[in-house]
Amino acid sequence: MNEIVGHREIVRGLQAGLQAGNLSHAYLFTGPEGVGKATVARALAQALLCQDTPKDSATVTGCLRCSSCHKVVMCCHPDLIGVEMAEKKTRIAVDQIRELARFLSLTPMESPWKVAIIDDAATMNPAAANALLKTLEEPPAQSILILVTSRPGMLLATIRSRCVIYPFNALSKEDFFRILADKTSLKDTEWDGVWHYSEGNVGFGLNFVAGGQLDECSRLHDELRELMTHGGLARLCDVAEHWSKEERFALARTVVGRWLVDRVRESVRSDSGAGGVRAWLAVEAFAREVFARGETFNVNKRYLLEGIFIKMIRTSGASL
Ligand SMILES: [Zn+2]
């Protein structure tokens, strides 16, 4: 990790803490998904575990050269543990947090600190959250815990209150493009489309580009615009049938989601009053729930899409 893009205030704050030796036992990084919270958490771990960073250094990433920095990059440093939801699970389990607590209580092996990162901390089940609270109440010496989440409201208030909170903002368009320019080879004509669907979520943007999804999303967007402009029940059924195919359904969620966010923003800016905003927010929430159901359960996706389209057309004031 050579450089952190964006989040300058947060980086400055962490750097000041590192230089002054004024560190907390626990940090909570909050903010939108895909903006670099986990990246900064790993950078902070790297700086804490680095064997070769001068005290007055202006970096929050470590020296990037020593064996310790290399081990953090390779995810094999003996004084660093990362906890996240296990594959095919829906929550972080209590056993994972007990293992983390045991790890933090051990004497550091190669560095001054034992560091733990929990990503996405809001997915801890209640037993795991209570176990973590015990560790936060009596933090082992020389241990630092970094919690990462886009949903801090789902954490126990008693966990939040024991952490130093760093709220991350969405990335600017410029910073988002800088990160993607390093990792992709997008054509000039594609940048705006990727930004439109990603909204600063780097992880989403990279998957979106790697999957070559921009062209298909643009096609679906045109079909949706045509449907919303001209309506028609037969047309609505055709589009729903076409979009219900497995590979298109996930993209349909992206396209409809973006379309609805744009309608909400449009109604906020217009003179239509709070009623318009509320109506589009309700459709957006409905669509989110229906898509989640469609991706989780074996249900007829065409009917789900028809339900969403009907609500969208009615809310826009057009007739079917
Ligand atoms: Zn180093």
Side-chain angles (χ1 to χ4, degrees), residues 46 49-53 61-70:
Q46 199 162 296
L49 302 175
C50 177
Q51 297 165 337
D52 204 21
T53 304
T61 58
C63 74
L64 307 169
R65 294 180 306 272
C66 74
S67 67
S68 191
C69 283
H70 185 63

Side-chain angles (χ1 to χ4, degrees), residues 170-183:
L171 284 171
S172 68
K173 202 170 179 179
E174 186 188 25
D175 286 336
F176 177 79
F177 285 172
R178 261 180 80 195
I179 297 172
L180 257 69
D182 272 352
K183 301 173 194 284

Side-chain angles (χ1 to χ4, degrees), residues 256 283 286-287 290-291 304-313:
V256 168
V283 181
F286 172 78
V290 168
F291 275 117
L304 297 183
L305 286 163
E306 285 178 1
I308 293 170
F309 291 154
I310 287 169
K311 262 192 186 299
M312 289 168 74
I313 290 175

Side-chain angles (χ1 to χ4, degrees), residues 10 28-32 35 37 147-150 152 165-169:
I10 286 173
L28 173 57
F29 291 174
T30 67
V35 298
K37 301 182 297 297
L147 310 184
V148 176
T149 185
S150 58
I165 300 177
Y166 280 92
F168 285 59
N169 291 320

Side-chain angles (χ1 to χ4, degrees), residues 110-186:
E110 295 183 5
S111 64
W113 300 99
K114 298 290 266 190
V115 184
I117 300 173
I118 305 182
D119 186 21
D120 167 10
T123 59
M124 282 186 292
N125 69 25
N130 281 315
L132 183 73
L133 189 55
K134 285 202 185 88
T135 300
L136 286 169
E137 282 167 348
E138 293 176 29
Q142 298 307 110
S143 72
I144 291 188
L145 184 60
I146 310 169
L147 310 184
V148 176
T149 185
S150 58
R151 297 169 297 165
M154 293 180 71
L155 287 171
L156 295 175
T158 40
I159 288 182
R160 290 198 305 268
S161 67
R162 283 173 170 79
C163 299
V164 171
I165 300 177
Y166 280 92
F168 285 59
N169 291 320
L171 284 171
S172 68
K173 202 170 179 179
E174 186 188 25
D175 286 336
F176 177 79
F177 285 172
R178 261 180 80 195
I179 297 172
L180 257 69
D182 272 352
K183 301 173 194 284
T184 63
S185 49
L186 280 170

